[in-house]
Amino acid sequence: MSLEVTMPQMGESVIEGTVTKWLVKVGDRVNEDQPLCEISTDKVDTEIPSPAAGLIAQLIAAEGETLPVGAPLAMIETAPGAAKPPPPIQAVARPVAIAAPAAAPPSAGRSVGAAAVDASRPAAEAPATTLRAVPARPASSGGPPRRYSPVVVRMAEEHAIDLGLVPGTGIGGRVSKRDIERYLEGLRAGTSQTARANGAALRQASEPPAGTDAPAAAPTSAPTVSPAGAALFRAPVYQPREGDTVEPFTRRRKLIAEHMVYSKTHSPHVGTVAEVDLTRLMALRDKHKSAFQSREGFALTLLPFAAMATVRALREFPRMNASVVGDSVVTRRDINLGVAMDAAEGLVVPVIKQADTFTVVGIAREIERLRRKVQEKTVTADDLGGGSFTLSNPGREGNLYGFAIINQPQVGILRMGEVKKRPVVVELDGADAIAIRTMMFLALSYDHRVIDGVLGNRFLFRSARILEEADFEL
């Protein structure tokens, strides 16, 4: 009996995964729950276990290929009656930097295979050239129509590639993400026949008719001109010199770059800052921190208070707890607060599910639980998925304030600044006076497609006032 192994659902917003490495080969006999391959998503790296014992009959997906959830990965020949539905993935996962939108368009990352791009090659070896749009080629009238995965289609649209020009190395000549990356590398290096043909066409189009005075050749630093006539910017490239250290992007750093660029290009970011007087809150914390430490076993920080203030403000302004879906705004029922945390392999954002059902102490316990999982590298895709708003606390030293990039598909992110004592003007008995107060800047980044300035300012103002009032039960 044949059993099909498919790409599992590994988190609420995960819609696809990349096969980074096969751990078995055709003909191998495997046991139930034995790891078959390593899968990488925009949230976690994990291993796919075998749903049953049997013999590996076929490896359908190639290493480096990105497939949607439910796509076939392999076929296993099992004994009669041994087949059963694949169990939900509960494997411990290695965190991937930042929880980002599943719809983020992939770019040239690490590829695997004989013709793959060498990700360990220093960045200085990759010539910086501008990609040119390739004119569409008429579809062939012979043979069956070619099928493409959503990832391949998105990459082709992003780089204006005619998929009919890309040789496919997958099953049945299917074009994979690896083929697109290799094709792009050829364009960058100027070795692609299509790139050379385009260049010849451009030169021919720019040459004056015979018998006329030819203009002087353009300098090599001039912008590249696309076939459509639009000038494309050619970015200058720094050439490493002796003594420089060249560190190629790791896979996680590539994901961070992709997600941040996607968010900035898709969401019109607006930032606003509030100054918050934390004097009353610091007194409350100092009053309870010793007893809290003895009772809970970890320190009471300002982060749980900021999280609670954010949750209360989100309850009052539900449009901040939303996502953009096509041409619609979805106001989310559950307030799932993501809390950005630093990890050895990059930033991750574990999520406190239904954070509005917790007390300050409950939120503190959840933050500590998730922090330990991040530190111990036992955080799962479920821990990182489903966030509806994000709170970021970059640290205490030298962090006056700053604007964070929105964590897609959310519409806002709140960033805490440095807590510092400063002289401020206060009113005492009807007169102005200078007093030493504990102050902090709170910065909000919001998506202007959904959030107008008035709403963003009201939400930030309310978050700040909740912190200043310090009306929290401990």
Side-chain angles (χ1 to χ4, degrees):
M1 181 179 296
S2 296
L3 176 63
E4 185 179 68
V5 182
T6 61
M7 181 71 71
Q9 179 75 51
M10 292 176 287
E12 177 185 9
S13 61
V14 177
I15 64 171
E16 61 189 16
T18 301
V19 180
T20 57
K21 183 180 180 180
W22 278 106
L23 305 177
V24 296
K25 61 183 181 295
V26 174
D28 284 355
R29 185 166 296 279
V30 295
N31 298 320
E32 184 177 354
D33 294 330
Q34 177 179 336
L36 300 178
C37 64
E38 294 179 356
I39 297 293
S40 174
T41 74
D42 62 345
K43 295 187 181 297
V44 294
D45 294 346
T46 189
E47 294 176 342
I48 303 300
S50 175
L55 195 70
I56 301 296
Q58 184 182 5
L59 300 182
I60 301 174
E63 290 185 345
E65 187 172 6
T66 300
L67 301 169
V69 170
L73 299 176
M75 297 296 296
I76 298 178
E77 291 293 335
T78 64
K84 62 181 180 179
I89 295 300
Q90 300 291 341
V92 172
R94 301 186 294 276
V96 170
I98 203 156
S107 63
R110 184 184 66 181
S111 299
V112 183
V117 179
D118 186 1
S120 64
R121 184 181 61 189
E125 292 183 19
T129 58
T130 303
L131 298 181
R132 290 194 289 267
V134 179
R137 186 182 67 174
S140 174
S141 58
R146 302 178 77 182
R147 299 178 60 188
Y148 307 105
S149 70
V151 173
V152 168
V153 172
R154 281 203 304 269
M155 292 181 70
E157 291 175 350
E158 179 185 355
H159 297 290
I161 295 174
D162 175 12
L163 288 172
L165 300 173
V166 182
T169 60
I171 302 298
R174 184 179 180 183
V175 176
S176 66
K177 177 183 176 183
R178 179 180 57 187
D179 297 326
I180 296 288
E181 291 169 351
R182 186 167 63 248
Y183 184 78
L184 289 173
E185 285 296 315
L187 290 178
R188 293 190 182 99
T191 58
S192 168
Q193 293 182 358
T194 303
R196 290 197 294 269
N198 282 346
L202 289 174
R203 287 193 298 272
Q204 182 178 1
S206 62
E207 290 175 356
T212 61
D213 294 331
T220 57
S221 59
T224 302
V225 179
S226 70
L232 301 179
F233 175 70
R234 184 190 297 274
V237 177
Y238 173 74
Q239 295 298 328
R241 302 177 181 178
E242 184 178 357
D244 293 351
T245 300
V246 177
E247 181 182 357
F249 273 6
T250 63
R251 181 184 167 278
R252 288 184 173 85
R253 183 51 55 182
K254 290 178 182 177
L255 282 175
I256 290 176
E258 292 171 6
H259 298 161
M260 295 300 95
V261 171
Y262 177 88
S263 184
K264 289 294 283 187
T265 56
H266 282 69
S267 293
H269 283 56
V270 178
T272 184
V273 182
E275 192 174 31
V276 189
D277 187 345
L278 297 178
T279 304
R280 187 178 298 178
L281 179 59
M282 292 300 289
L284 176 67
R285 172 180 171 269
D286 291 343
K287 178 181 177 181
H288 293 277
K289 66 178 184 180
S290 296
F292 184 92
Q293 174 81 46
S294 300
R295 183 179 73 246
E296 302 294 337
F298 58 92
L300 178 62
T301 67
L302 291 179
L303 189 56
F305 296 104
M308 177 57 77
T310 303
V311 168
R312 289 182 183 176
L314 287 172
R315 193 183 299 155
E316 295 181 26
F317 299 93
R319 192 174 178 85
M320 297 295 303
N321 193 58
S323 293
V324 176
V325 180
D327 293 331
S328 303
V329 180
V330 179
T331 301
R332 304 176 66 161
R333 178 193 62 185
D334 294 336
I335 297 178
N336 298 332
L337 184 66
V339 181
M341 298 182 183
D342 189 30
E345 297 176 325
L347 191 70
V348 292
V349 187
V351 177
I352 303 174
K353 306 295 174 56
Q354 298 182 331
D356 54 330
T357 64
F358 289 88
T359 63
V360 173
V361 175
I363 287 180
R365 290 169 179 163
E366 277 295 288
I367 291 175
E368 177 64 14
R369 182 183 70 86
L370 292 170
R371 185 195 66 80
R372 289 179 179 175
K373 294 190 73 173
V374 170
Q375 190 176 49
E376 296 167 0
K377 299 182 180 181
T378 58
V379 66
T380 65
D382 186 61
D383 294 325
L384 301 175
S388 60
F389 193 89
T390 298
L391 176 65
S392 178
N393 181 24
R396 296 175 294 176
E397 299 177 353
N399 169 37
L400 185 61
Y401 73 88
F403 295 108
I405 297 178
I406 297 170
N407 186 11
Q408 299 293 328
Q410 301 165 22
V411 297
I413 181 170
L414 202 59
R415 186 181 189 273
M416 300 169 63
E418 181 181 19
V419 177
K420 195 172 185 178
K421 290 185 177 181
R422 293 199 303 272
V424 297
V425 177
V426 298
E427 186 175 323
L428 295 176
D429 300 327
D432 290 341
I434 296 178
I436 304 299
R437 312 290 288 182
T438 303
M439 307 297 293
M440 179 185 73
F441 288 109
L442 199 60
L444 172 68
S445 299
Y446 59 88
D447 188 336
H448 211 351
R449 294 177 300 174
V450 179
I451 310 301
D452 294 328
V454 173
L455 175 58
N457 187 69
R458 286 177 178 172
F459 171 80
L460 180 61
F461 178 83
R462 184 61 183 138
S463 302
R465 294 294 81 79
I466 293 172
L467 285 171
E468 290 185 343
E469 292 165 0
D471 185 15
F472 301 106
E473 291 291 336
L474 291 175

